[in-house]
Amino acid sequence: MKSHFAALAIALMLAAPSAALAQARSKGAVKVGVLLPLTGNTAWAGKTNRIAATIAAEEVNAQDLAGGYGIELVFGDSQCEPRAAHDQAQRLISQEKVQLLIGEWCSSASIAVAQVANDEKVPLLVNISTADQIAGDAGPYAFQSSMQNRYAQQREAALLEKDFKFDSVAIIVENNDFGLTFRKNMVALMQKAGKKVVLDVTQDRNDTNWYSTITRIPNAKPDLVIVSISAVQAANFVKQYAEAGITTPLFSDYPPPPRIFERQVGAQAGKIGLTRAAFFIESDTNTPAQKEFVGKLTARVQKDLNEDHHPTHWDIASYDAVRLVADAIKRGGPKAADYLKAMGATKIDLVMGHYEFDAERGVKPEGLNFLVIRNKPDGTLEVVQ
């Protein structure tokens, strides 16, 4: 008799995933277009974000998290460029017949996608780009689940006032949507705090030579240098800053993620004691949900790409985005009007934190983590705040 009940229990356990999977398809499949930079300078991020999104979709379907709908992801290579992102969004809508969109990575590309989404009346979740008001300015079809620049910079400015002694600053940014909104916000915050901006420079993101800008720093004599430079250019800047022998403390809003960035710059970041913002770093302080995600993604990247990977907050943002979309479908269905209403009413705890949206369809920052980290001379990283 005991063996009979044991066999029955095992049979029920094996049947449970199949039953959930069948339920997940009972109302049909929802095609979700995901725009990521799969080629170009930021492909290093796009390929792991694709895996993170795929894991989320598999879990949604296996656990019936979309309320009887199955999720089918269709990827587009948006290259972190506005034109490519625009064209890929159009392709996903017109040719692949996606009902919903997620993406992009770079703010200028997300703005282009948001225009397409609004014109075509296809809901979009901007999951990574942080330029201010992408959703608010795009129209009613866009939501933004990443913390916007102005909120991050408010936290950064508060930290700088608390932990750094300075009266004057140099502000150096890339000449793009992300960099210019950072510049606008940080200049205003520094002025409000009574700090003098003695150097204010923008530079084209394709210009790899930062020496001409860096050599202006000693003459300006700032007490602190604040930069917002993305991807490969951040590594170029830090290397050239260290090689120039500049000793002025450096704070960076947006280099590539922890450990990936360290591989790019070697010992240079520790040499200058680089301090920077981050939304996530793999450490013992991670929440249980974050530790579980790290384990899943690390193993999957090793399996699919045969490489070691330290998960980043961008990986988490892509995973959480698919879960947010599924949750909204579960509560409202995939039809645009109902889905948008459900997304606006979102209240959910996921890997990055707690997600709710404000009246302009941007995520409320209170629920999301924010860290400041510093490179130490021995090559390790420490959490400052």
Short mmCIF file of all heavy atoms in Angstrom, two decimals, residues 191-216:
data_model
loop_
_atom_site.label_atom_id
_atom_site.label_comp_id
_atom_site.label_asym_id
_atom_site.label_seq_id
_atom_site.Cartn_x
_atom_site.Cartn_y
_atom_site.Cartn_z
N GLN A 191 24.51 73.00 -8.13
CA GLN A 191 24.25 74.42 -7.88
C GLN A 191 23.36 74.60 -6.66
O GLN A 191 23.57 75.51 -5.85
CB GLN A 191 23.63 75.06 -9.13
CG GLN A 191 24.60 75.16 -10.30
CD GLN A 191 23.97 75.68 -11.57
OE1 GLN A 191 22.74 75.65 -11.73
NE2 GLN A 191 24.79 76.15 -12.50
N LYS A 192 22.36 73.73 -6.54
CA LYS A 192 21.47 73.80 -5.38
C LYS A 192 22.24 73.57 -4.08
O LYS A 192 21.93 74.16 -3.03
CB LYS A 192 20.35 72.77 -5.52
CG LYS A 192 19.34 72.80 -4.39
CD LYS A 192 18.24 71.77 -4.63
CE LYS A 192 17.23 71.79 -3.48
NZ LYS A 192 16.15 70.77 -3.69
N ALA A 193 23.26 72.72 -4.14
CA ALA A 193 24.08 72.42 -2.96
C ALA A 193 25.16 73.46 -2.72
O ALA A 193 25.95 73.33 -1.78
CB ALA A 193 24.71 71.04 -3.12
N GLY A 194 25.24 74.46 -3.60
CA GLY A 194 26.24 75.50 -3.43
C GLY A 194 27.62 75.14 -3.96
O GLY A 194 28.61 75.78 -3.59
N LYS A 195 27.69 74.13 -4.83
CA LYS A 195 28.97 73.73 -5.41
C LYS A 195 29.18 74.44 -6.74
O LYS A 195 28.24 74.64 -7.50
CB LYS A 195 29.01 72.21 -5.63
CG LYS A 195 28.58 71.39 -4.41
CD LYS A 195 29.45 71.63 -3.19
CE LYS A 195 29.01 70.73 -2.03
NZ LYS A 195 29.79 70.99 -0.80
N LYS A 196 30.41 74.76 -7.04
CA LYS A 196 30.74 75.48 -8.27
C LYS A 196 31.12 74.48 -9.37
O LYS A 196 31.97 73.62 -9.16
CB LYS A 196 31.90 76.45 -8.03
CG LYS A 196 32.21 77.34 -9.23
CD LYS A 196 33.31 78.33 -8.88
CE LYS A 196 33.61 79.24 -10.07
NZ LYS A 196 34.72 80.19 -9.75
N VAL A 197 30.49 74.62 -10.54
CA VAL A 197 30.82 73.79 -11.69
C VAL A 197 31.91 74.51 -12.49
O VAL A 197 31.64 75.51 -13.16
CB VAL A 197 29.59 73.52 -12.57
CG1 VAL A 197 29.98 72.66 -13.77
CG2 VAL A 197 28.50 72.83 -11.76
N VAL A 198 33.16 74.04 -12.41
CA VAL A 198 34.29 74.74 -13.03
C VAL A 198 34.64 74.20 -14.40
O VAL A 198 35.42 74.81 -15.14
CB VAL A 198 35.52 74.69 -12.11
CG1 VAL A 198 35.26 75.45 -10.81
CG2 VAL A 198 35.94 73.25 -11.81
N LEU A 199 34.09 73.04 -14.75
CA LEU A 199 34.32 72.46 -16.07
C LEU A 199 33.08 71.65 -16.45
O LEU A 199 32.61 70.83 -15.67
CB LEU A 199 35.55 71.54 -16.05
CG LEU A 199 36.00 70.95 -17.39
CD1 LEU A 199 36.42 72.06 -18.36
CD2 LEU A 199 37.13 69.95 -17.19
N ASP A 200 32.57 71.91 -17.65
CA ASP A 200 31.33 71.27 -18.10
C ASP A 200 31.53 70.88 -19.56
O ASP A 200 31.54 71.74 -20.45
CB ASP A 200 30.17 72.26 -17.94
CG ASP A 200 28.83 71.67 -18.33
OD1 ASP A 200 28.77 70.48 -18.68
OD2 ASP A 200 27.83 72.42 -18.30
N VAL A 201 31.75 69.57 -19.82
CA VAL A 201 32.16 69.12 -21.15
C VAL A 201 31.25 67.99 -21.64
O VAL A 201 30.93 67.07 -20.88
CB VAL A 201 33.62 68.61 -21.14
CG1 VAL A 201 34.04 68.14 -22.53
CG2 VAL A 201 34.56 69.69 -20.62
N THR A 202 30.85 68.05 -22.90
CA THR A 202 30.19 66.93 -23.57
C THR A 202 31.08 66.46 -24.72
O THR A 202 31.77 67.27 -25.34
CB THR A 202 28.81 67.33 -24.13
OG1 THR A 202 28.99 68.37 -25.09
CG2 THR A 202 27.90 67.80 -23.03
N GLN A 203 31.09 65.16 -24.97
CA GLN A 203 31.94 64.61 -26.02
C GLN A 203 31.18 63.52 -26.77
O GLN A 203 30.42 62.76 -26.17
CB GLN A 203 33.23 64.04 -25.43
CG GLN A 203 34.20 63.48 -26.47
CD GLN A 203 35.61 63.34 -25.94
OE1 GLN A 203 36.11 64.20 -25.23
NE2 GLN A 203 36.27 62.24 -26.29
N ASP A 204 31.40 63.43 -28.06
CA ASP A 204 30.74 62.43 -28.89
C ASP A 204 31.11 61.02 -28.43
O ASP A 204 32.28 60.75 -28.14
CB ASP A 204 31.14 62.62 -30.35
CG ASP A 204 30.36 61.71 -31.28
OD1 ASP A 204 29.26 62.11 -31.71
OD2 ASP A 204 30.84 60.60 -31.56
N ARG A 205 30.13 60.13 -28.39
CA ARG A 205 30.36 58.78 -27.87
C ARG A 205 31.28 57.95 -28.76
O ARG A 205 31.83 56.94 -28.32
CB ARG A 205 29.03 58.05 -27.67
CG ARG A 205 28.31 57.69 -28.95
CD ARG A 205 27.05 56.90 -28.66
NE ARG A 205 27.35 55.68 -27.90
CZ ARG A 205 26.43 54.80 -27.54
NH1 ARG A 205 25.17 55.01 -27.82
NH2 ARG A 205 26.77 53.73 -26.88
N ASN A 206 31.45 58.34 -30.00
CA ASN A 206 32.33 57.60 -30.91
C ASN A 206 33.78 58.10 -30.87
O ASN A 206 34.64 57.53 -31.53
CB ASN A 206 31.79 57.68 -32.34
CG ASN A 206 30.46 56.98 -32.49
OD1 ASN A 206 30.28 55.87 -32.00
ND2 ASN A 206 29.51 57.62 -33.15
N ASP A 207 34.03 59.14 -30.11
CA ASP A 207 35.38 59.69 -30.00
C ASP A 207 36.12 58.95 -28.88
O ASP A 207 35.83 59.13 -27.70
CB ASP A 207 35.31 61.18 -29.70
CG ASP A 207 36.67 61.85 -29.74
OD1 ASP A 207 37.68 61.13 -29.81
OD2 ASP A 207 36.72 63.09 -29.68
N THR A 208 37.08 58.11 -29.25
CA THR A 208 37.75 57.27 -28.26
C THR A 208 38.90 57.98 -27.53
O THR A 208 39.43 57.46 -26.56
CB THR A 208 38.32 56.00 -28.93
OG1 THR A 208 39.27 56.40 -29.94
CG2 THR A 208 37.22 55.19 -29.57
N ASN A 209 39.27 59.17 -28.01
CA ASN A 209 40.38 59.91 -27.40
C ASN A 209 39.83 60.94 -26.42
O ASN A 209 39.26 61.95 -26.82
CB ASN A 209 41.21 60.59 -28.48
CG ASN A 209 42.45 61.25 -27.91
OD1 ASN A 209 42.65 61.31 -26.69
ND2 ASN A 209 43.30 61.77 -28.79
N TRP A 210 40.02 60.66 -25.12
CA TRP A 210 39.54 61.56 -24.07
C TRP A 210 40.65 62.44 -23.49
O TRP A 210 40.41 63.22 -22.57
CB TRP A 210 38.90 60.73 -22.95
CG TRP A 210 37.63 60.08 -23.37
CD1 TRP A 210 37.50 58.87 -23.99
CD2 TRP A 210 36.31 60.60 -23.24
NE1 TRP A 210 36.17 58.61 -24.25
CE2 TRP A 210 35.42 59.65 -23.79
CE3 TRP A 210 35.79 61.78 -22.70
CZ2 TRP A 210 34.04 59.83 -23.83
CZ3 TRP A 210 34.41 61.97 -22.73
CH2 TRP A 210 33.55 61.00 -23.29
N TYR A 211 41.87 62.31 -24.04
CA TYR A 211 42.99 63.05 -23.46
C TYR A 211 42.79 64.55 -23.51
O TYR A 211 43.14 65.27 -22.56
CB TYR A 211 44.30 62.67 -24.16
CG TYR A 211 44.84 61.33 -23.74
CD1 TYR A 211 44.89 60.27 -24.62
CD2 TYR A 211 45.33 61.13 -22.44
CE1 TYR A 211 45.38 59.03 -24.24
CE2 TYR A 211 45.83 59.90 -22.05
CZ TYR A 211 45.85 58.85 -22.95
OH TYR A 211 46.34 57.64 -22.56
N SER A 212 42.24 65.07 -24.61
CA SER A 212 42.08 66.52 -24.71
C SER A 212 41.14 67.04 -23.64
O SER A 212 41.32 68.15 -23.12
CB SER A 212 41.56 66.89 -26.10
OG SER A 212 40.29 66.29 -26.35
N THR A 213 40.13 66.25 -23.29
CA THR A 213 39.22 66.63 -22.21
C THR A 213 39.89 66.46 -20.86
O THR A 213 39.81 67.34 -19.99
CB THR A 213 37.94 65.78 -22.27
OG1 THR A 213 37.23 66.07 -23.48
CG2 THR A 213 37.03 66.06 -21.08
N ILE A 214 40.57 65.34 -20.67
CA ILE A 214 41.22 65.06 -19.39
C ILE A 214 42.28 66.10 -19.05
O ILE A 214 42.41 66.51 -17.89
CB ILE A 214 41.83 63.64 -19.42
CG1 ILE A 214 40.70 62.60 -19.43
CG2 ILE A 214 42.77 63.41 -18.24
CD1 ILE A 214 41.17 61.18 -19.70
N THR A 215 43.02 66.56 -20.06
CA THR A 215 44.09 67.53 -19.78
C THR A 215 43.54 68.90 -19.39
O THR A 215 44.31 69.75 -18.92
CB THR A 215 45.00 67.68 -21.01
OG1 THR A 215 44.21 68.02 -22.17
CG2 THR A 215 45.78 66.40 -21.27
N ARG A 216 42.25 69.11 -19.56
CA ARG A 216 41.65 70.37 -19.10
C ARG A 216 41.36 70.37 -17.61
O ARG A 216 41.12 71.43 -17.00
CB ARG A 216 40.35 70.64 -19.88
CG ARG A 216 40.56 70.86 -21.37
CD ARG A 216 39.25 70.95 -22.12
NE ARG A 216 38.44 72.10 -21.68
CZ ARG A 216 37.22 72.36 -22.15
NH1 ARG A 216 36.67 71.56 -23.06
NH2 ARG A 216 36.56 73.41 -21.71
#
